[in-house]
Amino acid sequence: MDYEAVIGLEVHAELQTQSKMFCGCAVVDSTQAEPNRYVCPVCTGMPGSLPVINRRAVEYGMMVGLALHCEIAPVNVFSRKSYFYPDLPKGYQISQYDLPLAINGWLTIEVGDVEKRVGIRRVHLEEDTGKLIHRDGVSLVDFNRSGVPLLEIVSEPDLHSLNEVRAYATRLRSILRYLGVNSGDMEKGVIRFEANVSVRPVGSTELFTRTEIKNLNSFRALLRATEYEIARQTALVAAGARIMQQTMGWDEVRGVTVPQRGKEYAEDYRYFPEPDLPPLEISREWVAEVAAGLPELPDAKRDRFVRDYGLSRYDAGILVAERAVADYYEQAVRVGATGAGRMISPKTIANWITGELFRLMRETDGDISAVKVSPAQLVDLIRLVEAGTINANTAKEVLEEMFKTGRPADAIVAERGLAQISAADVLAQVVAQVLADNPQEVQAYLNGKQTVARWLMGQVMRATQGTANPMLAQRLLDEQLAQLAGKRDV
Ligand SMILES: [Zn+2]
């Protein structure tokens, strides 16, 4: 029998507001800041301290909810979720339970050519916990992160493959970055995943017993853990065994999931409404205001790039994945359309960015913000190609140098003498010289060995150190060879 995986994701994303969820302490990079520096009685759970809701965090949450096509609840209630752990000094976390911020949305993902909607069950606000550091046999706790606004985004169990999981997580991260509510810096732990996994016979629509894998802090961990868990459950079910509902951890080193605790009921948390916070009412006017301020999101931008710039859906999709890349591209398009010289087509610019520029970025493991070549400089380089000053291969070398140094293309071309020989008379002399230097090969060609022509073309490029305009060189070579053939026939 064949089995299919049924996967739902819970994504925890820090909302990178100025201050924390319920107090005025600054939200800082907890991997860099001096421990326990950004804390107060509220976020360290001192008795008698009172929380106050951060309006900006609620707005950030609304932005995410709206971007995911959710309904924003008119009344929000915060609840206490009780549990004991040293990173949670209050003994409970302020979260949302039965009345979350947003519900019933969806996110479009694309795998191969197939587009599908993944349901979003709920989006709710809560506070992050502190961080435990285990060192030299002792455990330390840093409360800088305690009380940082956290958004939990819960999908429906609509994902059925690792590719879909990857597409969903990547797309969601992209949207959070577009909205400017989260840096997307996975290494800093600002986005964390939990995966709910079950398997069922293909064709079944039933939901089988699932396990929940907690604390997955990278795409790699998410995908590896999910893959492992699918394989583990499939083997068990195929052997006629039952799956136990369990919370699992991920052992990165051994590459296996490990049970953490037994069956877990929501009641264990003893949720009850937070007595120190009144219900939060969200007026429809406020929702409309936030909706009006949303930036253009990846899907809409992709469709616009296809429509306005004549790009393929695929290329447009690559360019819009990162907002900064899309902005870079559009700046280049503007310069290409208006600057001095001929108009450079948006498609040509897209090819240079997704081809050579991305290749250089991959090689240096850098993102677009670190690229020293400005959009205008890239367009200047493309103009040199289109004007015939340099050929495409030379341009790639020049771009490498620009990428390293940030210097303009024309300076590099002038300094290295890379301008291609386009003057027909100069190039004609080079071709004549090559033919004169290689009488045997010319004879072979004239005797019918056609392939020699390509070798002779190579000699022409060599003689000019690759700077000959290849189309012109080919034409001149053909002409001179035809002339020799004509002479012989007479
Ligand atoms: Zn505080």
Side-chain angles (χ1 to χ4, degrees):
M1 194 185 290
D2 283 338
Y3 296 92
E4 75 166 351
V6 180
I7 306 153
L9 289 190
E10 290 179 22
V11 178
H12 288 93
E14 273 184 13
L15 295 176
Q16 295 177 311
T17 44
Q18 297 281 313
S19 58
K20 292 186 181 179
M21 187 67 221
F22 301 113
C23 63
C25 293
V27 171
V28 293
D29 177 352
S30 62
T31 62
Q32 299 291 324
E34 184 193 331
N36 295 310
R37 177 100 170 61
Y38 302 91
V39 294
C40 73
V42 174
C43 56
T44 50
M46 296 295 163
S49 62
L50 286 174
V52 177
I53 297 170
N54 178 344
R55 187 183 161 91
R56 197 74 192 125
V58 175
E59 277 184 356
Y60 276 12
M62 286 160 72
M63 286 164 73
V64 175
L66 290 167
L68 298 175
H69 314 95
C70 292
E71 303 156 28
I72 305 296
V75 180
N76 273 249
V77 170
F78 286 91
S79 292
R80 288 190 179 183
K81 178 183 184 182
S82 306
Y83 67 93
F84 177 77
Y85 205 64
D87 61 4
L88 190 68
K90 290 201 290 273
Y92 59 86
Q93 178 188 33
I94 304 180
S95 180
Q96 292 189 302
Y97 184 47
D98 45 1
L99 291 170
L101 176 64
I103 54 166
N104 292 339
W106 45 268
L107 174 67
T108 308
I109 61 167
E110 228 168 303
V111 173
D113 286 337
V114 184
E115 197 177 60
K116 87 175 226 183
R117 276 187 186 185
V118 179
I120 303 291
R121 182 177 295 171
R122 58 186 275 151
V123 176
H124 76 243
L125 282 162
E126 57 188 33
E127 55 179 342
D128 209 346
T129 61
K131 223 165 61 173
L132 291 177
I133 299 147
H134 308 284
R135 194 159 60 200
D136 306 328
V138 293
S139 291
L140 304 168
V141 60
D142 174 11
F143 290 119
N144 281 344
R145 206 181 65 181
S146 176
V148 168
L150 202 60
L151 203 65
E152 181 169 327
I153 302 151
V154 183
S155 85
E156 296 292 346
D158 288 345
L159 303 163
H160 298 292
S161 69
L162 290 181
N163 282 336
E164 289 186 1
V165 169
R166 183 188 293 109
Y168 175 85
T170 309
R171 177 46 69 92
L172 188 54
R173 174 178 178 273
S174 169
I175 288 176
L176 295 171
R177 279 167 58 80
Y178 260 76
L179 295 172
V181 302
N182 181 291
S183 67
D185 258 333
M186 309 287 298
E187 320 82 75
K188 298 194 167 160
V190 298
I191 300 177
R192 280 113 61 188
F193 304 104
E194 284 175 31
N196 299 317
V197 179
S198 63
V199 298
R200 67 185 174 198
V202 168
S204 166
T205 52
E206 230 178 298
L207 288 178
F208 285 62
T209 307
R210 64 188 169 86
T211 58
E212 196 176 319
I213 320 168
K214 296 235 183 224
N215 289 324
L216 301 167
N217 295 342
S218 65
F219 284 122
R220 190 177 134 83
L222 168 65
L223 293 169
R224 285 180 71 207
T226 306
E227 182 177 31
Y228 179 87
E229 190 57 20
I230 293 169
R232 187 187 74 87
Q233 290 189 20
T234 306
L236 279 173
V237 172
R242 282 168 51 102
I243 304 295
M244 291 217 313
Q245 185 173 335
Q246 271 177 324
T247 300
M248 315 289 278
W250 170 240
D251 184 330
E252 184 78 47
V253 179
R254 289 194 296 146
V256 297
T257 55
V258 261
Q260 288 197 317
R261 12 183 174 157
K263 194 168 178 178
E264 194 175 70
Y265 294 97
E267 292 93 291
D268 290 341
Y269 291 129
R270 294 201 165 273
Y271 280 100
F272 69 92
E274 167 62 61
D276 291 338
L277 291 171
L280 171 72
E281 289 184 24
I282 298 180
S283 72
R284 296 305 92 181
E285 291 74 36
W286 192 14
V287 174
E289 201 181 294
V290 172
L294 287 182
E296 183 181 41
L297 292 166
D299 281 350
K301 206 182 270 292
R302 180 199 57 208
D303 293 348
R304 183 167 61 79
F305 280 16
V306 168
R307 199 174 60 235
D308 290 1
Y309 303 136
L311 302 185
S312 70
R313 211 177 136 81
Y314 179 78
D315 284 346
I318 293 175
L319 288 170
V320 304
E322 291 285 341
R323 188 175 174 177
V325 171
D327 290 348
Y328 183 101
Y329 171 67
E330 288 210 277
Q331 267 184 50
V333 167
R334 269 194 297 278
V335 177
T338 58
R342 74 174 83 183
M343 145 131 191
I344 306 297
S345 90
K347 210 165 157 37
T348 305
I349 294 171
N351 289 342
W352 276 92
I353 292 176
T354 58
E356 288 305 302
L357 196 64
F358 275 14
R359 182 177 66 76
L360 293 167
M361 282 162 60
R362 267 197 305 277
E363 281 173 7
T364 54
D365 215 14
D367 66 11
I368 195 91
S369 63
V371 170
K372 292 183 186 140
V373 184
S374 72
Q377 284 178 324
L378 180 69
V379 170
D380 286 343
L381 173 72
I382 300 171
R383 285 212 163 100
L384 290 178
V385 180
E386 302 225 330
T389 310
I390 53 176
N391 60 37
N393 276 328
T394 306
K396 288 177 190 172
E397 280 173 43
V398 173
L399 184 61
E400 273 194 49
E401 179 71 17
M402 294 167 73
F403 190 83
K404 275 189 212 136
T405 62
R407 296 175 61 213
D410 51 0
I412 296 166
V413 169
E415 178 184 288
R416 296 203 190 170
L418 292 173
Q420 73 182 347
I421 302 172
S422 287
D425 49 347
V426 177
L427 206 45
Q429 280 175 21
V430 176
V431 172
Q433 190 63 48
V434 165
L435 296 184
D437 289 348
N438 299 285
Q440 280 184 355
E441 283 74 14
V442 172
Q443 201 51 50
Y445 173 82
L446 295 176
N447 289 339
K449 205 174 168 201
Q450 302 277 335
T451 50
V452 178
R454 198 175 312 142
W455 183 84
L456 289 166
M457 177 66 185
Q459 296 305 304
V460 173
M461 293 310 285
R462 224 175 105 182
T464 59
Q465 271 131 30
T467 62
N469 175 331
M471 269 154 62
L472 181 59
Q474 186 69 60
R475 204 187 77 215
L476 292 167
L477 179 65
D478 291 346
E479 276 172 16
Q480 295 194 20
L481 285 172
Q483 235 173 18
L484 290 174
K487 264 188 206 148
R488 204 179 64 150
D489 289 347
V490 168

